[in-house]
Amino acid sequence: MKVICYGVSPLEDPYIKNWALKNDVEVSLIREPLDETTVHLANGYDGISSEGITPVTEKVYEELEKFGIKQLAVRQVGTDNQDLVAAKKHGIKITNVPSYSPRAIAEMGVTQAMFLLRKIGIFEERMDNNNFSFDESTISTEIFNCTVGIIGGGHIGAATAQIYRSLGAKVLLYDPTYNAALEPYVTYASMDEIFHESDIISLHTPLLPSTENMIDKASIAKMDKKPILINVARGGLVVTADLISALKEGKISGAGLDTLADEVDFFEKENAAESDTPDDYKELRSMNNVLITPHIAFFTKLAIKNSMELALNDTKAIVEGKMPKSIVNK
Ligand code: NAD
């Protein structure tokens, strides 16, 4: 069997090569993304994989069909760059990797919360100014004395709940879909109960019309315990201007943000110009009770390994006429 992988970053090379060796499959690695100018390289291969960013047009599926290829495995969750209907028309099954390591993202959220809970940003700033003192404003709460409210109890929310529970915190969860498997770790609650009772609020929902802007002036007004807010899900869940006001007024005591609503303009850029970074980012970054990371919660060795392996497992399954795990255009 011969498989071609497009848009491969050097970081992914060893995991793909290792999978190829284990499965006795010949795999070619191409740095360029899959598009109309590179699709010809797939001629002669049985299976194909690509990344989830560069838009793929119908012409590409048409060519793949001519080459006898029956699938395209996206090595990420998102398949927004694919035309799922056109792919189906040309007999191309698109697969994705819906969950590559929920713990990776969960651990980043918990790490940010612990940093903020222990006021490390404030102490760092003080030490930068040769101030080694502590006082009432920097006293902490221990995690087992905290109530953590989790919004969204899917793969990542569940992993987050398990970690907080194992640290002894009380964990509240709101999710419209009930999951009995989470009962050992959480107490199901309403959104309002979470807003009123939580010391830490951790967001783990997709960005949907029902979740967009869920943290705004109105929901912040219900936050009685001046919580820490953690957003490692999607920037659009939070109204950034309302968060900044709440941080200034002390209604939210800290924020850990791996995602920002306007991140596409500058996250992942290696040499971002001053003009690339928006004012709200600069303002948040200047606060000693805010921790921002550039959408890297997923970025662990296991997550990269799993993204490669699960995508290639589905590639192999389809080529062998077996059932893949994650078809997105059934
Ligand atoms: P998932 O699909 O397993 O879980 C999402 C959960 O949200 C589901 O249980 C769903 O019922 C629930 N939900 C839907 N609408 C809701 C609402 N209105 N209120 C409360 N809960 C609601 O997804 P996941 O794998 O756990 O990922 C969650 C999110 O994390 C993703 O959608 C993505 O935005 C984000 N993410 C971030 C990174 C990162 O690196 N920062 C990486 C992967 C995913």
Side-chain angles (χ1 to χ4, degrees), residues 213-231:
N213 297 336
M214 71 161 88
I215 304 300
D216 63 359
K217 219 173 173 176
S219 54
I220 291 169
K222 296 175 189 167
M223 298 179 187
D224 296 329
K225 293 173 85 178
K226 303 183 171 72
I228 287 167
L229 177 74
I230 301 296
N231 185 9

Side-chain angles (χ1 to χ4, degrees), residues 102-103 105-118 141-152 156-173 182 184-187 198-204 227-232 254-256 291:
R103 272 294 287 244
I105 298 103
E107 287 185 9
M108 175 59 89
V110 176
T111 302
Q112 293 192 338
M114 295 300 282
F115 177 98
L116 295 162
L117 195 61
R118 299 310 302 259
T141 309
E142 285 160 57
I143 188 71
F144 61 83
N145 279 324
C146 291
T147 297
V148 180
I150 293 180
I151 303 180
I156 299 167
T160 303
Q162 287 187 20
I163 298 173
Y164 279 119
R165 193 70 201 99
S166 70
L167 293 171
K170 177 176 176 190
V171 182
L172 305 179
L173 170 67
L182 298 184
Y185 316 108
V186 306
T187 303
S198 302
D199 302 291
I200 297 170
I201 296 177
S202 197
L203 309 179
H204 300 287
I228 287 167
L229 177 74
I230 301 296
N231 185 9
V232 290
L291 184 59

Side-chain angles (χ1 to χ4, degrees), residues 97-157:
V97 184
S99 177
Y100 36 79
S101 180
R103 272 294 287 244
I105 298 103
E107 287 185 9
M108 175 59 89
V110 176
T111 302
Q112 293 192 338
M114 295 300 282
F115 177 98
L116 295 162
L117 195 61
R118 299 310 302 259
K119 322 269 185 196
I120 293 174
I122 299 171
F123 284 113
E124 278 198 318
E125 191 182 86
R126 285 188 182 188
M127 287 190 293
D128 285 346
N129 293 301
N130 282 341
N131 176 355
F132 302 95
S133 69
F134 53 89
D135 53 35
E136 180 65 25
S137 72
T138 51
I139 198 160
S140 290
T141 309
E142 285 160 57
I143 188 71
F144 61 83
N145 279 324
C146 291
T147 297
V148 180
I150 293 180
I151 303 180
H155 295 98
I156 299 167

Side-chain angles (χ1 to χ4, degrees), residues 77 98-100 105 151-157 174-177 191 204-208 210-211 214 232-234 258-259 295-299:
V77 184
S99 177
Y100 36 79
I105 298 103
I151 303 180
H155 295 98
I156 299 167
Y174 172 71
D175 193 311
T177 307
M191 289 267 272
H204 300 287
T205 68
L207 183 60
L208 304 167
S210 62
T211 60
M214 71 161 88
V232 290
R234 282 292 177 267
D258 188 52
T259 58
H295 209 137
I296 42 80
F298 74 95
F299 194 47

Side-chain angles (χ1 to χ4, degrees), residues 34-108:
L34 172 66
D35 61 21
E36 292 179 17
T37 65
T38 58
V39 64
H40 66 278
L41 299 170
N43 198 359
Y45 285 85
D46 308 296
I48 176 170
S49 165
S50 79
E51 39 71 45
I53 293 164
T54 313
V56 176
T57 56
E58 180 163 4
K59 180 98 182 96
V60 170
Y61 305 120
E62 222 175 276
E63 291 296 299
L64 294 178
E65 187 182 23
K66 279 189 211 152
F67 304 155
I69 291 175
K70 304 216 170 323
Q71 57 65 239
L72 169 55
V74 178
R75 301 186 298 277
Q76 287 162 18
V77 184
T79 52
D80 324 343
N81 66 330
Q82 303 293 326
D83 182 338
L84 300 179
V85 177
K88 193 169 177 179
K89 187 172 136 198
H90 293 283
I92 309 290
K93 292 187 171 84
I94 307 284
T95 58
N96 72 340
V97 184
S99 177
Y100 36 79
S101 180
R103 272 294 287 244
I105 298 103
E107 287 185 9
M108 175 59 89

